[in-house]
Amino acid sequence: MREWFFSGASGAFLLSTFHVLYGEGSVRYMAIGLYVLLISMDWLAGHRASRIDGSYASEYGIRGGYRAVFLLGMPAIGHLVDQISGTPGIAFGFLTAAFGLHIWKSMTANVIRAGWEKWVPKWAMVYVADEVEHKIARAIKRKQEKEKYLDGDKNVHSDNRYVFDEQNGTTRD
């Protein structure tokens, strides 16, 4: 009985928080669900890519947590704008779609960097080419800084079977 009370209370709290932040309705549930899934997949692919190319740094991951909180706050701001202006979800939809597109580009670029490009359609690769170049340049810079200031992490590649090729931005065995 006690477990039911706590699960019911936590569920009521989470649902109320969701309604305050994002509004009510099945479309909003699905939109935020897709949005959170994109953020999670971006984080997963980015983590794997940074492990492969040796640019992983915990402080960069912490900054990614702040980025995720910011990204989750943008649809909430859109909902608040809609509430203030009396519009039926226009700002919520616009901000969710705009930031969702950016997250999708980042996720797709990270998937390519992680060596999973065989599952990415050619048109998507062309569309995110600039994002891939930007991420590769940033990874190379982080790797150089890591080697310069921390003398590198000698155990980074011990469990990885892929090696990142910096010249063409792909992974190889």
Side-chain angles (χ1 to χ4, degrees), residues 16 19 29-30 33 53 56 64 66 70 77 90 95 108 114 117 125 137 141 145 152 155-156 158 162 167:
S16 298
H19 285 173
Y29 295 144
M30 290 186 287
D53 66 19
Y56 178 79
Y66 290 119
F70 173 81
I77 289 171
I90 294 171
L95 287 175
T108 306
E117 64 272 357
M125 286 185 169
K141 181 181 174 188
E145 289 174 356
N155 299 322
V156 165
S158 64
Y162 296 107
Q167 289 181 348

Side-chain angles (χ1 to χ4, degrees), residues 66-128:
Y66 290 119
R67 174 185 176 263
V69 171
F70 173 81
L71 290 173
L72 288 170
M74 291 312 295
I77 289 171
H79 173 65
L80 184 60
V81 169
D82 286 332
Q83 293 296 305
I84 291 169
S85 63
T87 55
I90 294 171
F92 171 82
F94 176 76
L95 287 175
T96 304
F99 280 92
L101 179 61
H102 172 73
I103 297 165
W104 175 81
K105 281 182 74 172
S106 176
M107 179 202 65
T108 306
N110 282 331
V111 164
I112 293 167
R113 282 183 52 232
W116 306 330
E117 64 272 357
K118 69 181 179 181
W119 292 293
V120 178
K122 294 288 183 194
W123 64 265
M125 286 185 169
V126 170
Y127 186 73
V128 300

